[in-house]
């Protein structure tokens, strides 16, 4: 695909110290600073990366706590008025105003499902926030006879005392019985459209089912209509999308995705493409299959990067800008628009438009010290 070939402008950079879960290294959360770099971040990119893409070391960073005393904060966004907003998976919203004041933000989420990997999750600031003060929220609910993951738009009060429901954007994203693999990552593009990453809900058939919204990326307008083509489904064949980012200056959209006990992936999303996850083995969910199964799906799009073993459980991805993030090879494709590199973070997160600390009780920011 042409879009994949031009991905050579991207350098993959990783934080030197992060925290992630490693089943093959004894389980639990470990300080990855103790893991040899070549094991932690394999230097090879995926065959879907195109020519010239490299994995490079990130600059040194320092982490500063900006909000603490939180219980499983899943996402964090910064609004144009300087407010930092985060949501706990159990349903609490917390804001830190531009002046540093912290306050709880009331939000009504009837039937919120607080289960496993479900609850209050992804958030994104509307492109027109300065005029409409709208925030998009992805969460799990079971109310009125409907159990699903959904995206709803809320309006923030001027004093950040409450978020008031405006409209449902997308409903009917399947929610698994055990509440796992719910995805729910949101990304607002410059044109105001919304990308949504969903999980396979531990279903054998949903990732490859063209009628199901599970195991997909979706692309919609703020009113819920399809943003491109005649379907809200953008791509299929995903396991559990946890990160979405737009490459500045190109419009290309990348995703980060959790693998099982191996092969977390970064993918360059191509409209209508299949990314090859199909855990359906004789009608049963079986994770002992390739993340990108090109034998069963010859046209499946290969990953830009794969972790191999062990997996890193990437929390989110962001494009970092500035000279501190550029290597010589990363800088050369950007003679007029600045130096950019791609970063992948585990918990705690790197700074950026949104971050995800799924196992931490605090939200941190990272600053270059180079």
């Amino acid at each position: 695909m042409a879009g994949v070939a031009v991905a050579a402008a991207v350098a993959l950079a990783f934080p030197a110290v992060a925290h992630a879960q490693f089943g093959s290294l004894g389980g639990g959360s470990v300080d990855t600073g103790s893991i040899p770099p070549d094991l932690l971040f394999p230097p090879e990119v995926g065959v879907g990366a195109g020519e010239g893409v490299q994995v490079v070391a990130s600059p040194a960073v320092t982490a500063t706590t900006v909000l603490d005393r939180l219980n499983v904060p899943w996402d964090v966004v910064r609004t144009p008025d300087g407010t930092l907003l985060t949501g706990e998976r159990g349903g609490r919203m917390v804001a830190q105003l531009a002046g540093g004041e912290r306050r709880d933000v009331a939000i009504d989420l009837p039937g919120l499902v607080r289960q496993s990997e479900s609850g209050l999750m992804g958030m994104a600031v509307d492109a027109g926030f300065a005029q409409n003060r709208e925030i998009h929220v992805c969460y799990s609910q079971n109310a009125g006879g409907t159990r699903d993951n959904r995206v709803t738009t809320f309006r923030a009060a001027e004093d950040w005392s409450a978020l008031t429901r405006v409209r449902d954007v997308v409903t009917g994203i399947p929610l698994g019985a055990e509440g796992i693999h719910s995805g729910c990552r949101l990304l607002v593009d410059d044109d105001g459209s919304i990308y949504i990453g969903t999980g396979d809900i531990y279903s054998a058939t949903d990732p490859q089912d063209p009628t199901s919204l599970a195991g997909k990326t979706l692309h919609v307008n703020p009113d819920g209509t399809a943003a491109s083509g005649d379907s809200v489904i953008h791509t299929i064949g995903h396991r559990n999308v946890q990160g979405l980012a737009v490459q500045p200056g190109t419009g290309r959209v990348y995703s980060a995705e959790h693998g099982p006990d191996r092969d977390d992936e970064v993918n360059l999303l191509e409209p209508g493409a299949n990314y090859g996850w199909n855990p359906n083995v004789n009608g049963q969910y079986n994770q002992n299959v390739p993340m990108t199964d090109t034998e069963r799906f010859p046209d499946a799009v290969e990953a830009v990067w794969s972790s191999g073993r062990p997996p890193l459980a990437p929390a989110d991805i962001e494009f970092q800008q500035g000279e501190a993030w550029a290597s010589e090879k990363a800088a050369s494709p950007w003679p007029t628009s600045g130096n950019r590199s791609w970063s992948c973070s585990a918990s705690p997160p790197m700074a950026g438009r949104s971050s995800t600390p799924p196992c931490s009780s605090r939200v941190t920011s990272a600053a270059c010290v180079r």
Side-chain angles (χ1 to χ4, degrees):
M1 291 187 179
V4 174
V6 295
V10 180
L12 282 64
F14 297 88
V17 178
H19 293 264
Q21 292 186 353
F22 295 91
S24 60
L25 295 178
S29 180
V30 299
D31 183 348
T32 58
S34 63
I35 308 299
D38 287 347
L39 173 62
L40 180 60
F41 301 123
E44 298 83 10
V45 296
V47 297
E51 296 181 0
V53 179
Q54 296 183 25
V55 175
V56 299
S58 78
V61 297
T62 56
T64 302
T65 299
V66 293
L67 278 173
D68 57 11
R69 292 172 286 120
L70 300 170
N71 184 16
V72 196
W74 203 94
D75 206 346
V76 56
V77 296
R78 190 182 298 277
T79 63
D81 66 3
T83 297
L84 193 69
L85 180 69
T86 188
E88 298 177 338
R89 202 162 58 191
R92 184 172 72 133
M93 283 281 195
V94 179
Q96 179 176 281
L97 308 189
E101 179 186 353
R102 170 180 173 148
R103 65 179 53 176
D104 284 0
V105 182
I107 184 171
D108 183 23
L109 299 171
L112 180 68
V113 175
R114 306 172 180 87
Q115 178 187 18
S116 188
E117 298 167 5
S118 300
L120 170 58
M121 294 181 285
M123 299 186 296
V125 178
D126 189 77
F129 179 88
Q131 294 74 42
N132 60 29
R133 298 189 63 80
E134 290 184 351
I135 303 286
H136 309 294
V137 177
C138 188
Y139 64 101
S140 313
Q141 67 94 47
N142 186 2
T146 302
R147 177 183 169 93
D148 63 3
N149 292 303
R150 59 180 53 198
V151 179
T152 300
T153 300
F154 293 82
R155 179 169 290 116
E158 291 290 339
D159 62 357
W160 284 99
S161 60
L163 289 170
T164 304
R165 180 183 300 267
V166 177
R167 62 185 172 274
D168 286 328
V169 179
V170 177
T171 61
I173 302 171
L175 172 60
E178 298 178 355
I180 64 175
H181 296 184
S182 284
C184 250
R185 175 65 65 200
L186 302 182
L187 169 70
V188 170
D189 204 350
D190 292 340
D191 63 3
S193 63
I194 307 168
Y195 289 91
I196 306 166
T198 73
D200 68 9
I201 67 166
Y202 210 68
S203 163
T205 58
D206 280 55
Q208 294 295 329
D209 182 351
T211 67
S212 170
L213 300 183
K216 311 292 192 297
T217 64
L218 316 178
H219 190 202
V220 300
N221 295 309
D223 63 1
T225 58
S228 55
D230 57 2
S231 173
V232 302
I233 294 177
H234 184 62
T235 60
I236 72 171
H238 298 280
R239 182 177 181 272
N240 197 15
V241 177
Q242 294 288 290
L244 291 170
V246 176
Q247 184 182 16
T250 70
R252 292 195 288 271
V253 180
Y254 289 79
S255 69
E257 187 168 345
H258 283 187
D261 60 349
R262 67 198 182 283
D263 297 337
D264 296 330
E265 290 184 346
V266 172
N267 288 298
L268 172 58
L269 299 182
E270 298 284 347
N274 186 344
Y275 288 80
W277 174 247
N278 183 23
N280 185 2
V281 178
N282 299 321
Q284 301 296 316
Y285 190 92
N286 188 327
Q287 299 196 120
N288 296 316
V289 296
M291 273 291 283
T292 304
D293 194 338
T294 54
E295 289 190 10
R296 299 171 77 179
F297 306 99
D299 293 332
V301 178
E302 295 273 13
V304 170
W305 173 86
S306 175
S307 68
R309 294 179 186 269
L312 304 178
D316 198 359
I317 55 173
E318 297 292 338
F319 278 91
Q320 305 292 350
Q321 302 188 55
E323 292 182 0
W325 288 93
S327 65
E328 291 182 6
K329 293 184 178 179
S332 59
W334 305 104
T336 60
S337 56
N339 301 324
R340 303 185 178 100
S341 65
W342 172 95
S343 70
C344 176
S345 67
S347 176
M350 304 295 290
R353 173 165 42 192
S354 66
S355 342
T356 306
C359 304
S360 176
S361 62
R362 62 184 62 188
V363 172
T364 62
S365 63
C368 296
V369 296
R370 218 171 179 178

